[in-house]
């Protein structure tokens, strides 16, 4: 129960009325020392979790006694010391999980080649991997035929290996309910309510008119079959990983999204191992891991590189953070949804500058938020830059856990333990609140409905102002919001023929509308609100235009279950929001192409077309290259805008459309009230759904269960594979590291501006036909239909290196316009970034990157560091960094350098065409200053952003992968 040599074994004791349970009673460290007890009482709850972990894992090497005492002295040591944290578990999703597992497989090869025992290479930390990012929308309600180029696809031969499920249409007899529409037949070819084609596991759909199980829509079946076909190699590799690596479990496709599976199935709140109790905590390869903070679980997103180190038993190292207390007061307006609350809090915290800090919520308003509301808020913390957003466990949490299947005895132990270690928050106003670095006050009663866009999630627009704001965007110069459309062109209309009817496209027309039950919209109330709004809209006679690419992507079978059992699913389907599958799709650029006629009309008229989705990311060009304006909105607003067909509408004064009998229907006529939502939620979102979901997760699904995979100690790499390839990170692995080498006469590979995202650096969407990755795959004999996406091919370093900086919206100052291009200065050629980097490597010339502020924004993505490393990038020189990405650069062996305050390339007179030389001293220290000399003779100083001795050690080893591999040698 204690690491060898732990100095804290004496504080292990039995838990009150549960003597068989043991725990580290941290409050007894000082014996009769009342000062220590007082200090614990004033620590933020999130810091108390760090403290307990340091006591429990103290081994005198990775975690030292001084680390524990530094955490206890948080009030004076915040921002001044580095501390280790050993999370209880790791969560991966397949896009970032496959490179992690491929690296483990490659590490086994490297250890074997260096004379070690490869069978010893296992994750030391429990690891759960959810396959949720491989779904692509090849089929939807308005595109039931296979899309011509859905961004990839396995060959027809490979797809044919799958035995299609036999469709068993059946009729369910009527049980005489009021309003019955007749038997749920499936043989008349119509698209009636009962028109579903085959049963899918994990999704207990009920006919709302008969309350009987019915088969799943054929759309889901077809998308699932395509998913297994095109991703067979990856899935076989995952299954091999689950067989040979201890402590690894795989959640197969169609289980649900990683965030929700983590929340609904994997979260323990309190861990119990061999009768030892300790707080649940987690790190994951996705920035939205923070979602579980709403359950009182400390967790955040880190890079895949750091995650791999954690999986091998190393702690996460972080600067002891400031903790911002966010005091919530009042109650939200009945019209405000959870997404409105989320975006309002996001704006307040972004303005409060909480980047790199913990946020912890307290105040009377917290008790008025459900756990679903809390997880929604916690999920968005990457958008305001915080490391995490923590809601301590309280009575609301326990009530939620009772409803979701936790048994009474376990909850009693949980409550007793959390109170014993002072991790339970008392709802009473008389209870003492912790002391915080600063306090931000937010009144929930001031929150009104918003959307975000058209290009960035932080640009919030009040729904009341949407029409005028979009008009302003048309007028503004091209930039973070503007589209620079000439005044005389702003009212242009382009007629288009589609499915035998003429439609008119204009600026602001909606062509993509995606209701996604993911991350910030996992809250049942907002999904039910979308369904109830759809029901009222259908009953009023409103429709959605057929050319709009609509989709409904539930986060798990449970979401489909409550939408179905509440009776709203068929109404969503009537508005063309049909279930397309379970996994990330539109959010990560995996939507099917728009109809050709619509694409041509948009391009012909230079129309600023719009996408509206209930996701978390809306970077320009992410959804579709011809959709320039993308808005994030709550699910009911996505449905409302889809009905309106445009964002240029004032909901207060203009109708959504014309209903039955020519009546104008306004949004207020169909918007569900809070009492309606509450009644449906209480009736439909019940504990049985969670229990049933857990049972189905544990069963897996037929395709996964029948999938064959090898069981050898070393993975049998297929040299012909274009999905799984042994990466080259360990090619030069020696038993001892070499000292940091100087960077001499380096050229600048890219000269970038502010807010370069990980999407810009390493895109996850479809592979463009003209890209370097496409050329590589074509040379391997693949057709464009077989390219699949970058995310699906993250297990192949050759594809991912060629995909680095391949985003079509990348703005390189050497080029002057968005394009994945750069200049190779020795020859003067303008080339793809990969081709230029390849030339530099052949010439033996190192390269660096110049960038502005906030380099590496967005989702945590390890290939955003691995890709540049394999391109030969030795250092990045930026004005500032996103913290997670900066850590990834260090973890792969790229030096993160920062201009001195007030300096940047412009102030220093740099053009980026110079060559740069950087000399590292024999001994590096955290935050030290280095001198850079250019080929023009200019010398200037920069800060080396190594934050700790551990980061310096990793850099000296050439990154954490080599450091960890050497531990086995």
């Amino acid at each position: 129960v204690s690491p060898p040599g732990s100095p804290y074994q004496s504080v292990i004791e039995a838990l009150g009325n549960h003597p068989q349970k043991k725990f580290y009673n941290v409050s007894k460290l000082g014996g009769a020392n009342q000062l220590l007890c007082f200090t614990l009482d004033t620590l933020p709850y999130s810091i108390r979790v760090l403290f307990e972990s340091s006591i429990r894992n103290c081994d005198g090497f990775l975690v030292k006694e001084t680390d524990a005492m530094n955490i206890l002295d948080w009030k004076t040591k915040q921002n001044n010391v580095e501390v280790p944290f050993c999370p209880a578990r790791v969560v991966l999703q397949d896009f970032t999980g496959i490179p992690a597992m491929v690296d483990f497989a490659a590490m086994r090869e490297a250890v074997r080649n260096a004379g070690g025992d490869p069978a010893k290479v296992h994750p030391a930390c429990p690891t759960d991997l959810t396959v949720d990012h491989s779904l692509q929308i090849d089929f939807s309600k308005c595109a039931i035929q296979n899309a011509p180029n859905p961004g990839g696809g396995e060959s027809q031969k490979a797809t044919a290996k799958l035995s299609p499920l036999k469709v068993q249409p059946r009729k369910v007899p009527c049980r005489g309910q009021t309003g019955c529409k007749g038997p749920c037949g499936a043989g008349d070819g119509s698209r009636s309510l009962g028109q579903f084609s085959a049963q899918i596991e994990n999704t207990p759909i009920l006919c709302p008119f008969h309350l009987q199980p019915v088969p799943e829509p054929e759309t889901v079946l077809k998308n699932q079959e395509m998913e297994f076909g095109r991703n067979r190699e990856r899935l076989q590799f995952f299954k091999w990983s689950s067989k040979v690596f201890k402590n690894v479990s795989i959640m197969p496709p169609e289980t649900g999204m990683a965030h929700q599976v983590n929340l609904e199935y994997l979260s323990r709140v309190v861990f119990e191992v061999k009768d030892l109790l300790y707080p649940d905590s987690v790190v994951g390869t996705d920035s939205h891991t923070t979602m579980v903070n709403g359950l009182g679980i400390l967790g955040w997103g880190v890079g895949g590189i750091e995650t791999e180190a954690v999986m091998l038993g190393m702690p996460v190292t972080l600067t002891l953070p400031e903790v911002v207390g966010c005091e919530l007061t009042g109650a939200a307006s009945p019209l405000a949804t959870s997404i409105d609350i989320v975006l309002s809090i996001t704006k307040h915290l972004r303005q409060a500058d909480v980047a790199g800090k913990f946020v912890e919520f307290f105040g009377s308003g917290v008790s008025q938020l459900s756990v679903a509301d809390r997880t929604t808020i916690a999920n968005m913390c990457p958008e305001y830059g915080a490391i995490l957003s923590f809601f301590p466990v309280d009575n609301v949490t326990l009530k939620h856990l009772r409803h979701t299947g936790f048994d009474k005895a376990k909850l009693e132990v949980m409550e007793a333990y959390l109170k014993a270690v002072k991790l339970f928050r008392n709802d009473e106003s008389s209870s003492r609140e912790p002391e915080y670095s600063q306090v931000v006050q937010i009144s929930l009663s001031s929150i009104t409905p918003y959307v975000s866009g058209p290009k960035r999630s932080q640009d919030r627009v009040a729904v009341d102002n949407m029409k005028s704001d979009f008009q302003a965007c048309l007028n503004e110069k091209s930039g973070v919001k503007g589209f620079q459309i000439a005044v005389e062109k702003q009212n242009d209309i382009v007629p288009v023929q589609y499915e035998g009817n003429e439609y008119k496209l204009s600026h602001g027309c909606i062509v993509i509308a995606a209701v996604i039950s993911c991350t910030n919209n996992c809250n049942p109330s907002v999904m039910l609100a979308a369904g109830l709004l759809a029901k009222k809209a259908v009953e009023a006679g409103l429709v959605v235009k057929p050319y709009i690419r609509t989709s409904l992507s539930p986060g798990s079978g449970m979401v489909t279950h409550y939408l179905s059992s509440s009776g709203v699913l068929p109404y969503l389907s009537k508005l063309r929001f049909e279930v397309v599958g379970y996994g990330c799709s539109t959010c990560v650029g995996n939507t099917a192409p728009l109809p050709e006629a619509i694409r041509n009309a948009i391009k012909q008229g230079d129309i600023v077309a719009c996408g509206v989705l209930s996701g978390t990311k809306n970077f320009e060009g992410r959804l579709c290259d011809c959709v320039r304006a993308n808005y994030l909105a709550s699910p009911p607003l996505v449905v409302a805008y889809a009905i309106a067909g445009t964002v240029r509408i004032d909901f207060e004064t203009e109708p959504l459309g014309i209903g039955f009998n020519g009546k104008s229907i306004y949004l207020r006529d169909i918007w569900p009230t809070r009492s309606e939502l509450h009644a449906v939620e209480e009736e439909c979102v019940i504990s049985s759904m969670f229990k049933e979901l857990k049972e189905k997760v544990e069963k897996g699904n037929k395709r996964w269960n029948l999938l064959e995979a090898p069981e050898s100690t070393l993975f049998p790499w297929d040299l012909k594979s274009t999905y799984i390839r042994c990466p080259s990170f360990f090619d030069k692995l020696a038993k001892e590291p070499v000292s940091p080498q100087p960077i001499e006469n380096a050229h600048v590979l890219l000269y970038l501006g502010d807010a370069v995202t990980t999407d810009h650096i390493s895109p996850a969407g479809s592979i463009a036909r003209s890209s370097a990755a496409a050329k590589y795959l074509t040379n391997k004999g693949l057709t464009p239909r077989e390219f699949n996406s970058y995310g699906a091919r993250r297990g192949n370093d050759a594809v991912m290196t060629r995909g680095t900086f391949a985003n079509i919206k990348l703005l390189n100052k050497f080029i002057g316009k968005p394009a994945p291009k750069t200049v190779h200065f020795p020859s003067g050629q303008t080339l793809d970034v990969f081709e230029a980097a390849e030339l530099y490597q052949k010439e033996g010339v190192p390269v660096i990157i110049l960038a502005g502020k906030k380099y590496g924004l967005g989702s945590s993505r390890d290939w955003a560091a691995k890709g540049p490393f394999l391109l030969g990038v030795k250092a990045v020189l930026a004005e500032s960094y996103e913290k997670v990405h900066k850590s990834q650069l260090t973890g792969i062996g790229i030096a993160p350098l920062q201009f001195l305050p007030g300096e940047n390339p412009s102030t220093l007179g740099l053009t980026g065409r110079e060559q740069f030389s950087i000399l590292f001293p024999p001994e590096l220290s955290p935050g030290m200053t280095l001198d850079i000399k250019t080929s023009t003779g200019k010398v200037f100083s920069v800060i080396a952003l190594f934050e700790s001795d551990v980061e310096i050690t990793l850099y000296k080893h050439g990154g954490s992968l080599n450091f960890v591999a050497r531990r086995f040698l």
Side-chain angles (χ1 to χ4, degrees), residues 1-12 24 26 29 49-71 84-87 276 313 315:
V1 297
S2 224
S6 170
Y8 296 118
Q9 293 189 23
S10 61
V11 301
I12 300 175
Y24 282 80
V26 294
L29 281 173
V49 178
L50 294 182
F51 181 59
E52 189 280 340
S53 174
S54 68
I55 296 298
R56 179 167 38 87
N57 291 288
C58 185
D59 62 357
F61 175 58
L62 292 174
V63 183
K64 303 175 182 178
E65 286 185 75
T66 53
D67 295 321
M69 292 304 104
N70 282 338
I71 296 172
F85 174 58
C86 299
L276 177 70

Side-chain angles (χ1 to χ4, degrees), residues 104 108 118-125 244-247 311-312 968:
F104 268 71
R108 283 194 163 198
K120 291 183 178 179
V121 179
H122 292 285
C125 184
V244 302
F245 289 120
K246 298 176 183 177
N247 271 341
M311 290 164 68
L312 284 167
F968 294 103

Side-chain angles (χ1 to χ4, degrees), residues 264-409:
E264 298 168 13
Y265 179 69
L266 301 174
S267 294
R268 284 82 153 175
V269 184
V270 172
F271 248 82
E272 182 177 339
V273 177
K274 297 180 180 178
D275 290 329
L276 177 70
L277 303 172
Y278 53 95
D280 188 2
S281 57
V282 61
V283 293
T285 54
D286 193 289
S287 56
H288 296 288
T289 303
T290 52
M291 195 171 186
V292 295
N293 297 164
L295 268 180
I297 298 171
L298 198 73
W300 66 91
V302 297
I305 299 163
E306 304 101 298
T307 305
E308 291 171 42
V310 173
M311 290 164 68
L312 284 167
M314 295 177 62
V316 173
T317 301
L318 70 159
T319 302
L320 190 61
E322 294 180 43
V323 182
V324 177
C326 184
E327 183 178 13
L328 302 181
T329 59
S333 160
L335 293 178
T337 66
S338 294
I339 188 67
D340 299 318
I341 296 172
V342 167
L343 295 177
S344 180
I345 290 176
T346 297
K347 179 181 179 180
H348 279 88
L349 292 177
R350 185 179 291 277
Q351 292 172 342
D353 188 24
V354 297
K357 303 173 185 178
F358 284 10
V359 173
E360 188 167 296
F361 292 87
F362 73 102
S364 60
V366 173
S367 298
Q368 298 178 41
L369 299 179
S370 68
V371 166
D373 292 329
R374 298 176 187 193
T375 55
T376 304
I377 293 166
N379 166 72
M380 289 294 281
C381 85
E383 309 306 326
Y384 44 81
I387 298 174
L388 56 83
S389 295
F390 193 66
F391 287 85
V393 175
D394 60 8
N395 288 321
V396 175
T397 317
L398 294 182
K399 182 179 179 181
H400 169 81
L401 295 176
R402 278 195 296 272
H403 289 162
T404 57
F406 277 69
D407 63 69
K408 183 178 179 181

Side-chain angles (χ1 to χ4, degrees), residues 195-235:
Q195 262 335 258
F196 302 123
S197 61
Q199 184 77 32
I200 290 294
E201 300 162 278
N202 298 344
T203 315
I205 291 185
L206 304 178
C207 167
F209 297 113
H210 300 91
L211 302 182
Q212 290 277 356
V214 298
E216 184 76 357
E218 65 174 320
T219 305
V220 178
L221 261 182
K222 291 175 178 290
N223 282 320
Q224 288 177 2
E225 190 161 334
M226 290 293 290
E227 180 178 6
F228 267 82
R230 66 161 59 94
N231 294 293
R232 179 174 291 274
E233 284 184 58
R234 298 168 64 243
L235 297 177

Side-chain angles (χ1 to χ4, degrees), residues 145-271:
Q145 301 258 331
N146 200 356
N149 179 24
E154 189 56 90
S155 66
Q156 293 301 315
K157 183 184 294 185
T159 306
K161 295 177 183 177
L162 285 172
S163 299
L165 292 182
K166 293 183 178 179
V167 177
Q168 298 291 344
R170 62 194 181 98
K171 293 191 175 183
V172 182
C174 173
R175 294 171 57 187
Q177 283 84 355
T178 303
C180 174
K181 306 296 184 184
C184 293
D188 60 2
S190 68
R191 291 197 174 275
S192 64
L193 179 63
Q195 262 335 258
F196 302 123
S197 61
Q199 184 77 32
I200 290 294
E201 300 162 278
N202 298 344
T203 315
I205 291 185
L206 304 178
C207 167
F209 297 113
H210 300 91
L211 302 182
Q212 290 277 356
V214 298
E216 184 76 357
E218 65 174 320
T219 305
V220 178
L221 261 182
K222 291 175 178 290
N223 282 320
Q224 288 177 2
E225 190 161 334
M226 290 293 290
E227 180 178 6
F228 267 82
R230 66 161 59 94
N231 294 293
R232 179 174 291 274
E233 284 184 58
R234 298 168 64 243
L235 297 177
Q236 287 176 326
F237 175 77
F238 283 139
K239 197 157 188 178
W240 170 81
S241 298
S242 68
K243 290 181 177 182
V244 302
F245 289 120
K246 298 176 183 177
N247 271 341
V248 172
S249 62
I250 305 293
M251 304 290 132
E254 310 314 323
T255 301
M257 295 180 187
H259 321 295
Q260 287 191 242
V261 172
N262 188 19
L263 191 71
E264 298 168 13
Y265 179 69
L266 301 174
S267 294
R268 284 82 153 175
V269 184
V270 172
F271 248 82

Side-chain angles (χ1 to χ4, degrees), residues 738-752:
V738 297
S739 58
Q741 300 298 301
I743 301 172
E744 297 179 334
N745 298 316
H747 272 294
V748 175
L749 181 63
L750 292 159
Y751 183 5
L752 306 172

Side-chain angles (χ1 to χ4, degrees), residues 783-907:
T783 65
R785 284 191 63 84
E786 300 168 310
F787 287 172
N788 211 324
S789 64
Y790 284 113
R793 293 193 181 272
R794 284 187 181 182
N796 185 320
D797 63 316
V799 172
M800 295 308 296
T801 305
R802 287 164 172 80
T804 303
F805 297 111
N807 190 303
I808 59 172
K809 296 299 181 181
L810 180 74
L811 185 56
N812 179 6
K813 294 186 180 182
F814 293 147
I815 303 301
K817 62 181 180 180
K821 302 283 185 180
T822 195
V823 176
H824 176 254
F825 289 108
S827 66
Q829 298 179 79
T830 297
L831 303 169
D832 285 337
V833 175
F834 171 78
E835 294 171 345
E838 189 177 40
L839 271 181
Y840 281 126
Q841 287 184 321
K842 288 179 180 178
E843 296 160 354
V845 177
V847 293
I848 65 172
I849 291 171
L850 289 183
K853 300 181 180 71
K854 298 182 180 179
Y855 180 79
L857 277 174
S859 300
S860 169
R861 193 165 294 170
D862 62 332
W863 270 107
K866 290 178 176 177
F869 175 81
L870 294 180
L871 288 179
V873 174
K874 303 299 182 185
V876 176
L877 178 52
E879 292 182 65
S880 64
Y881 293 84
E882 197 279 331
K883 183 177 177 62
V884 170
H885 185 65
K886 192 279 301 178
S887 298
Q888 288 181 321
L889 293 176
T890 304
I892 198 61
I894 295 176
L897 308 178
Q898 183 171 292
F899 290 103
L900 296 179
E903 293 186 353
N904 56 47
S906 296
T907 62

